[in-house]
């Protein structure tokens, strides 16, 4: 089994959420997706599974002194039995997210 993991940090702007909708639509063209705007799972024709899930990050801070808006971190996990299919799906994900102007980082897993 092959796997790639991306991390995207959203600050909560509506344009950023629209980008996740674009990603959902781009992946739907290649297969089937179910879920909501910020959390969904897709399977493409080549049996590659793509999971998009939010993860909250906790900042070490004294909340009593001040409050800081915490960004939303979205993990995008691509899993499948073929390295070529993983790279194909990862390319679609990367280009879609970058075209929105968001920062996307490939994690070492």
């Amino acid at each position: 089994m092959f796997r790639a993991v991306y991390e995207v940090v959203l600050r909560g702007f509506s344009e950023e959420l629209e980008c996740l909708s674009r990603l959902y639509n781009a992946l739907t063209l290649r297969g089937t997706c179910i879920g909501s705007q910020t959390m969904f799972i897709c399977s493409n024709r080549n049996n590659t599974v793509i999971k998009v899930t939010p993860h909250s990050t906790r900042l070490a801070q004294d909340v009593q002194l001040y409050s800081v808006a915490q960004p939303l971190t979205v993990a995008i996990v691509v899993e499948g039995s073929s390295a070529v299919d993983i790279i194909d799906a990862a390319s679609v994900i990367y280009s879609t997210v970058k075209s929105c102007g968001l920062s996307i980082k490939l994690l070492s897993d």
Side-chain angles (χ1 to χ4, degrees):
M1 174 87 49
F2 295 95
R3 177 181 169 121
V5 180
Y6 283 111
E7 177 183 80
V8 179
V9 178
L10 307 175
R11 294 174 305 268
F13 300 123
S14 60
E15 303 86 35
E16 294 174 336
L17 294 177
E18 177 62 32
C19 186
L20 289 180
S21 291
R22 282 192 224 162
L23 178 59
Y24 181 94
N25 292 334
L27 294 173
T28 300
L29 292 174
R30 301 172 148 267
T32 304
C33 297
I34 59 169
S36 67
Q37 183 180 15
T38 57
M39 184 167 57
F40 54 90
I41 187 168
C42 302
S43 176
N44 70 9
R45 295 178 199 106
N46 300 323
N47 295 321
T48 301
V49 175
I50 302 159
K51 296 179 272 186
V52 178
T53 57
H55 293 279
S56 61
T57 57
R58 295 186 182 265
L59 299 177
Q61 63 180 345
D62 187 354
V63 178
Q64 295 175 352
L65 295 176
Y66 59 92
S67 64
V68 175
Q70 293 187 16
L72 173 69
T73 302
V74 176
I76 303 172
V77 180
V78 184
E79 297 177 320
S81 58
S82 167
V84 172
D85 295 337
I86 297 296
I87 292 170
D88 182 48
S91 297
V92 170
I93 292 165
Y94 185 84
S95 63
T96 302
V97 171
K98 285 303 273 187
S99 72
C100 298
L102 295 179
S103 175
I104 183 170
K105 179 172 42 173
L106 181 62
L107 301 179
S108 62
D109 190 38

